[in-house]
Amino acid sequence: MRSRWTILTRAAATAAVLFLGPGTATAAQAERKTSQGEAIQVTADQLSVGDSGTQVEARGNVEIKREQTTLKAEEVRVNRATQEVEAKGKISVDDPEWKVKSADSIQINLEKETGEILRGDLFIEQGHVSLMGRRFQKFGGQTYHVDEGFFTTCLCESGPPHWRISADAIDLDPTGLGTVKNAYFYVLDVPVFYLPYGFFPVKTERQTGLLFPRFGHSSTEGFRFQQPFFWAISKSTDATLAFDVQTRARWGFLGEFRTLFRQDADLRLSGAYFNEGLRRFEHEAVVDRTIADQDIPQNRWSIAGTHRYLLPRDWLTYSDFAAYGDDLFTRELVERMDVPLVQESEIRRSRFSRSRFGVFRSWGDAHFQGEWDFYQDFIQNDASTLHRTPQVSFWGRRFFRGLPLELRWGAEGVNYIRRRGGDGLRFDLRPELVLPFRTTRLFGSFSVAPRETLYHLYSIVDSGRNLSRELVEIRGNVGTTLGRTFAWTFGTLRSVRHVVEPELGYLFVPRVDQKSIPVMDGLDRVNRRNAVTFAVGNRLLGRFTNPLALAGEKNVETLNPIMATDIREIGSARFAITYDIDKERKRGDTLSDLDMNFRLTPANYFSLGLDAGLDPGAWKVNQLRVNFGISDPRPMTRRVADPDFVRPNSFGISYHFLRQEHNAFLAEDPNIDLNEAANCAVHPLDPRCPGALVNKKIVGNINVNLLYHLLDHVLLFASGAYDARDSRFLGFRVATKLLSFCECWNITLGVRKDINPSKTSFNFDFNLLGLGGSQRPSLQ
């Protein structure tokens, strides 16, 4: 964003680019172009040029227009030789990004970029910042001084602003950091406290300083206070530090460091330390007793980060890492990490954290990747966790010149290691020869892929240390596309195209003895397959006309455009089922579940999706996922400094159903060991325990989220998850956000309920918009 004085400079420069010949005009009007070809329109009662074209004067109702900027004054004088510009009397500047509401006079030297403005009232659209002063002075560089001035972000139509900072002297240094001397903070024209000396952000860009504190209360952890501090280290580097305390639980520090080396290279590091010395009976917070490590230490920490850096010759280095001092850190303390709510929920539910470090290089159709992966298991013992250190992959494709053949290859070498044996090296080589074909009606391919997998184990097993597996995969598929277009006028819809896409696929994998090789991941077990897959897809494409264009409002800027493209998909349906030839010979279950996928998106503000797996033998649904979402289709054109208030009303609900199979108990308690005696007190879901699977036959979760504008300045947000299997809430969050009528402060009141750990939290956030407030949505 440009500085405050840059705005004044541009306003005065509008007058300086005039190029008129000698003479005088009454009620004159002229149009000229700048050196960049931008048209300048000047209207005044009198226009004159003297002193051999050096002096330019415009008097009486002067109005100068340059693109979308308009300058008005009673008198404008320009000295083209000295680059001095002077405007007097009833000065105003109107621009989409900034405005000078009033000023008595402006004097500026365009060459030296120095000058002053008397009794000015400025408004900056970005950030809604109003700045007034008796005298504004600009010195060399980006240095400014304001005498007897004040600033606020309030947009009150009448009456005093809700808050403002007034000072005898305001100074702005080249970094944009403002200082005030002998200042007062006012609330409704009432001085609340006195500041002999203080700092504040004159610009809405990044500024070093304290952010507004956060307050909250938990039923189990007491009153919470967090004070963040933002440090703008340089134009491309900054950091956030915070002190956090909960009176009945802990105190600690959080920090995040961010830097941008260039457009395609960045680094982000975050860390936290908490001392649980204020806590009592911490063992009661552990709700899930099936996890291996249930200890909550007194000193708790975390470190996480990510980086992307492109080396010379297009070698990309990257990392994404996260490590925690205990397995319960993410469940209890992730909310302090200031991440979006969706990401916070994913981290809280995660069974492990993954840290990876790697390099990547691409040569057209050939790719290389080397990566080290480390895992921290939050459920099972870390001693049994496998790490890939490293994994090297090389894959690509190439067409044969003059032949309709394609060679695809993939080679992977990985070193699996863990603290408790069963690890080793594995090399997998899979070349594939593909014959693609296409006719006027049909398209498809046929491929053969031999595969060799070699192992070198660090611990000798009964079958030896060096093992191997050889197999081949044969695939084929053929399909076609049929379509027809129908003229259909309904609202903004102009036509509909129906596309049918039937497809037939075949897969053959011979049976290979794999009992002797270890199981490190899914690649180590490839079952025999001799199966045919039938699939048919249906798609509906619609051609639309923008509704604003129909209404003749082509120049309206919408903050939530309801039509993004002229042609888009409005609905689809796909069915797929596999017939197993081998099982037919053995009189087994020959058909897989019928996969069904439905999507309905008649508009960008409405969506309905359904994914299901249906057992055709018993005609029962084994899995089901339904999603429904709707948002307010009305265009939003009102800009507000708080980003939450420019989001449309929205509602979403989803339901996930999964029928458990015979090994499903491991999904809920993976620490059940069938090789040891049953411990029903610790692991009640062990199938050897009496009544272990009673009422545990399905998993069914309902998730709901809502964002609703109760009033123009009142916002309601709610989200929750409900376990339909056990008839209990998995957690919910309700918040109300209030925006002042002058749009310069907001208050958020929230209630949050979690079950793991079990606690209820009450949160209170207050922000003065434009003073270190967040520029991203807080209700997510």
Side-chain angles (χ1 to χ4, degrees):
M1 178 180 174
R2 59 175 62 88
S3 68
R4 298 295 182 263
W5 197 267
T6 302
I7 293 169
L8 298 178
T9 303
R10 179 177 171 185
T14 302
V17 294
L18 300 179
F19 182 75
L20 301 175
T24 302
T26 302
Q29 186 174 22
E31 179 173 332
R32 292 291 184 270
K33 291 189 177 182
T34 67
S35 58
Q36 290 81 16
E38 298 169 340
I40 300 294
Q41 293 181 348
V42 183
T43 302
D45 294 340
Q46 292 182 346
L47 284 174
S48 62
V49 178
D51 197 9
S52 302
T54 301
Q55 297 286 344
V56 180
E57 293 188 11
R59 296 176 179 273
N61 298 316
V62 182
E63 181 176 292
I64 303 174
K65 292 184 178 182
R66 181 173 181 260
E67 293 185 326
Q68 294 181 307
T69 303
T70 301
L71 167 69
K72 295 182 180 180
E74 286 297 312
E75 181 179 347
V76 176
R77 296 179 180 177
V78 180
N79 188 316
R80 299 178 60 200
T82 62
Q83 295 292 299
E84 295 282 349
V85 178
E86 180 181 352
K88 295 181 179 180
K90 299 180 181 180
I91 299 173
S92 67
V93 179
D94 190 3
D95 185 272
E97 298 181 5
W98 49 270
K99 291 176 175 61
V100 176
K101 294 183 178 179
S102 64
D104 287 353
S105 67
I106 294 177
Q107 292 180 342
I108 186 171
N109 187 294
L110 297 178
E111 182 178 2
K112 299 178 180 179
E113 295 187 357
T114 59
E116 71 174 23
I117 177 173
L118 297 180
R119 300 192 183 280
D121 182 357
L122 285 71
F123 175 75
I124 312 303
E125 183 68 33
Q126 182 180 352
H128 290 187
V129 178
S130 296
L131 184 65
M132 296 183 65
R134 181 180 61 84
R135 185 178 66 160
F136 294 77
Q137 289 180 286
K138 183 182 184 302
F139 303 101
Q142 298 298 315
T143 304
Y144 311 94
H145 176 82
V146 182
D147 291 321
E148 298 178 16
F150 76 85
F151 82 95
T152 181
T153 60
C154 295
L155 299 178
C156 302
E157 295 182 359
S158 61
H162 289 181
W163 68 266
R164 63 185 173 94
I165 294 179
S166 177
D168 288 347
I170 302 175
D171 291 282
L172 180 65
D173 65 18
T175 66
L177 178 64
T179 59
V180 292
K181 299 177 182 178
N182 195 24
Y184 291 87
F185 183 84
Y186 284 80
V187 175
L188 295 175
D189 264 355
V190 177
V192 176
F193 58 84
Y194 170 72
L195 286 173
Y197 188 83
F199 300 91
F200 69 96
V202 174
K203 299 189 293 184
T204 59
E205 297 174 355
R206 303 152 52 252
Q207 296 292 322
T208 297
L210 293 174
L211 303 180
F212 205 84
R214 298 178 180 178
F215 306 93
H217 184 272
S218 169
S219 60
T220 58
E221 298 173 329
F223 174 76
R224 179 190 175 191
F225 171 78
Q226 185 184 91
Q227 177 59 67
F229 172 80
F230 181 81
W231 182 16
I233 302 172
S234 69
K235 291 183 178 181
S236 58
T237 305
D238 56 45
T240 304
L241 306 172
F243 171 73
D244 190 293
V245 62
Q246 281 194 275
T247 55
R248 290 189 293 179
R250 64 187 64 86
W251 60 269
F253 300 92
L254 303 95
E256 185 176 45
F257 173 83
R258 301 164 293 266
T259 186
L260 188 67
F261 302 108
R262 53 178 184 264
Q263 187 174 2
D264 56 355
D266 67 289
L267 170 67
R268 181 185 297 263
L269 293 172
S270 64
Y273 167 79
F274 291 99
N275 184 285
E276 301 283 326
L278 304 176
R279 191 170 191 164
R280 298 293 182 270
F281 311 109
E282 61 271 8
H283 64 278
E284 296 180 356
V286 183
V287 179
D288 186 357
R289 294 294 175 180
T290 66
I291 63 177
D293 186 359
Q294 302 175 19
D295 178 54
I296 299 179
Q298 180 171 337
N299 298 302
R300 312 179 72 179
W301 57 268
S302 74
I303 184 170
T306 179
H307 100 276
R308 301 290 186 273
Y309 194 86
L310 191 63
L311 298 173
R313 299 183 182 275
D314 295 330
W315 283 91
L316 173 68
T317 64
Y318 62 91
S319 66
D320 299 283
F321 57 92
Y324 305 92
D326 60 274
D327 289 346
L328 293 170
F329 190 98
T330 57
R331 301 193 186 189
E332 285 198 297
L333 301 175
V334 67
E335 63 189 59
R336 284 154 171 81
M337 300 305 176
D338 195 25
V339 297
L341 185 61
V342 174
Q343 184 180 350
E344 177 187 322
S345 299
E346 291 177 355
I347 296 175
R348 188 187 298 272
R349 296 193 303 264
S350 214
R351 298 176 65 95
F352 59 85
S353 71
R354 177 192 181 192
S355 298
R356 63 174 185 165
F357 309 86
V359 294
F360 177 83
R361 178 70 159 89
S362 180
W363 299 269
D365 289 337
H367 315 277
F368 171 84
Q369 183 175 16
E371 185 172 291
W372 287 256
D373 287 52
F374 302 90
Y375 298 88
Q376 179 179 354
D377 201 315
F378 300 145
I379 305 297
Q380 295 178 283
N381 197 311
D382 285 326
S384 61
T385 302
L386 280 165
H387 307 282
R388 296 198 290 263
T389 59
Q391 179 177 2
V392 179
S393 304
F394 183 64
W395 70 98
R397 57 189 295 182
R398 183 170 295 278
F399 287 92
F400 290 94
R401 182 176 300 179
L403 294 175
L405 288 176
E406 178 186 0
L407 174 64
R408 301 175 184 174
W409 69 88
E412 177 192 89
V414 58
N415 177 41
Y416 270 111
I417 188 171
R418 58 182 163 191
R419 280 181 275 173
R420 186 184 295 170
D423 43 16
L425 291 168
R426 184 186 69 198
F427 177 74
D428 184 66
L429 178 62
R430 185 182 180 277
E432 183 179 15
L433 193 62
V434 182
L435 175 63
F437 61 88
R438 176 179 291 275
T439 67
T440 56
R441 292 289 184 180
L442 301 176
F443 60 87
S445 65
F446 177 79
S447 67
V448 178
R451 191 168 198 169
E452 176 72 25
T453 309
L454 304 173
Y455 298 85
H456 173 74
L457 305 182
Y458 299 136
S459 300
I460 300 177
V461 297
D462 295 339
S463 55
R465 170 170 290 177
N466 298 312
L467 308 172
S468 66
R469 179 193 62 188
E470 297 78 24
L471 53 81
V472 65
E473 299 174 11
I474 300 176
R475 300 174 183 268
N477 71 287
V478 60
T480 187
T481 299
L482 306 172
R484 185 175 178 183
T485 302
F486 302 89
W488 188 5
T489 302
F490 180 79
T492 60
L493 182 63
R494 290 295 173 261
S495 62
V496 174
R497 180 171 178 79
H498 179 216
V499 179
V500 181
E501 300 169 324
E503 185 177 356
L504 177 66
Y506 174 73
L507 171 62
F508 174 78
V509 179
R511 180 174 287 105
V512 177
D513 184 10
Q514 305 174 91
K515 295 180 181 180
S516 60
I517 63 176
V519 179
M520 299 177 181
D521 56 32
L523 189 148
D524 301 308
R525 290 295 183 269
V526 179
N527 297 328
R528 171 178 168 81
R529 298 300 303 274
N530 187 14
V532 180
T533 299
F534 305 90
V536 59
N538 289 266
R539 292 191 298 144
L540 290 177
L541 304 174
R543 180 184 292 275
F544 294 85
T545 301
N546 193 308
L548 295 178
L550 290 177
E553 300 177 352
K554 298 181 180 179
N555 297 324
V556 174
E557 178 189 10
T558 62
L559 304 183
N560 60 329
I562 60 175
M563 295 295 178
T565 58
D566 294 332
I567 301 177
R568 56 184 174 80
E569 186 174 277
I570 60 178
S572 65
R574 187 178 187 274
F575 304 89
I577 192 169
T578 297
Y579 174 77
D580 196 310
I581 299 174
D582 280 347
K583 290 184 178 180
E584 170 65 22
R585 295 172 181 172
K586 299 177 182 179
R587 300 185 182 276
D589 187 3
T590 59
L591 295 178
S592 69
D593 285 355
L594 175 63
D595 288 335
M596 300 179 293
N597 310 100
F598 299 91
R599 296 290 182 272
L600 182 62
T601 54
N604 285 359
Y605 53 83
F606 178 91
S607 65
L608 176 65
L610 184 148
D611 301 285
L614 176 67
D615 185 347
W619 289 105
K620 63 180 181 181
V621 177
N622 287 329
Q623 58 180 339
L624 175 69
R625 183 185 295 272
V626 181
N627 300 280
F628 171 75
I630 190 171
S631 60
D632 196 331
R634 293 172 296 183
M636 299 186 65
T637 59
R638 187 173 72 102
R639 290 191 177 274
V640 183
D642 189 323
D644 282 318
F645 281 86
V646 300
R647 298 165 59 190
N649 297 329
S650 62
F651 172 77
I653 184 171
S654 64
Y655 174 69
H656 183 205
F657 167 88
L658 179 64
R659 190 177 300 278
Q660 294 188 355
E661 300 296 338
H662 60 280
N663 287 327
F665 63 90
L666 293 174
E668 299 192 47
D669 188 356
N671 287 304
I672 295 176
D673 191 345
L674 298 180
N675 295 322
E676 297 182 357
N679 187 342
C680 298
V682 179
H683 304 289
L685 296 182
D686 192 320
R688 296 168 294 179
C689 296
L693 298 180
V694 176
N695 297 325
K696 301 291 184 181
K697 293 185 177 180
I698 64 171
V699 173
N701 294 338
I702 301 175
N703 296 276
V704 179
N705 61 79
L706 170 71
L707 181 73
Y708 185 69
H709 295 256
L710 293 174
L711 300 169
D712 286 344
H713 297 268
V714 181
L715 195 62
L716 174 66
F717 174 82
S719 66
Y722 181 76
D723 187 347
R725 183 193 65 182
D726 294 333
S727 301
R728 61 169 183 167
F729 278 99
L730 300 176
F732 65 83
R733 182 189 181 202
V734 178
T736 298
K737 196 168 192 178
L738 309 177
L739 178 67
S740 68
F741 288 103
C742 294
E743 299 181 5
C744 56
W745 57 263
N746 63 44
I747 294 177
T748 304
L749 303 173
V751 180
R752 179 172 184 160
K753 173 66 176 178
D754 296 304
I755 65 168
N756 193 16
S758 180
K759 67 177 180 180
T760 301
S761 303
F762 301 90
N763 297 304
F764 168 80
D765 283 322
F766 176 78
N767 288 288
L768 295 178
L769 298 179
L771 284 183
S774 174
Q775 297 300 312
R776 66 181 183 182
S778 60
L779 300 178
Q780 301 181 58

